[in-house]
Amino acid sequence: GMLFALSFDTITQAALFAMAANRFGGVTEVLLLAGCFIFGMMLTDGLNSVWVTQLVRRADRSAAIASRIMATAVGVVSLAIGGLTLFKLVLPSLEAWTDARGLLIGSGVVAAVTLAFVAAMLAGARAGRSHLAPTIAAE
């Protein structure tokens, strides 16, 4: 988590805002970009909170399975990004390779988390149905 935060969140955002200031040449534009970032993070965190709240309220087997799948996926993606950052420090030639494929790497992260979310929802729904089946049959 620490490597992910250091590499992806903090450094990326600081570099993005610095590049924006340099490219667009004004504090106003940078503040607008920072405001958009803040709004996007609030929206994303808010949606995540709604989803987690629903999982906690259900607190059944299906929610536990969905939660474990998502936690594992986010952990694996975080470790992969942290590892990539660590390798970039050791192998400077990797920097150019990752820079050329930044959009592809970012898209891969989004795709991995999206697939994990879909898998978590499907596994949770399947577990919920299988958990209810014996109860219905017993009645």
Side-chain angles (χ1 to χ4, degrees), residues 10-86:
T10 308
I11 293 174
T12 304
Q13 296 311 315
L16 178 66
F17 294 144
M19 286 177 9
N22 188 32
R23 182 172 181 184
F24 297 112
V27 173
T28 306
E29 289 81 4
V30 173
L31 291 176
L32 180 64
L33 180 63
C36 289
F37 172 74
I38 291 168
F39 176 74
M41 288 301 295
M42 287 173 39
L43 179 65
T44 302
D45 288 344
L47 291 173
N48 183 54
S49 296
V50 168
W51 184 61
V52 169
T53 299
Q54 289 177 350
L55 288 177
V56 169
R57 280 187 185 153
R58 288 179 34 196
D60 60 0
R61 184 169 179 243
S62 62
I65 289 170
S67 175
R68 285 186 191 121
I69 291 172
M70 284 304 295
T72 300
V74 169
V76 168
V77 168
S78 297
L79 288 173
I81 292 173
L84 182 61
T85 301
L86 188 61

Side-chain angles (χ1 to χ4, degrees), residues 90-105:
V90 175
L91 301 168
S93 61
L94 192 59
E95 182 83 32
W97 185 88
T98 56
D99 286 347
R101 290 163 182 83
L103 183 60
L104 181 64
I105 293 169

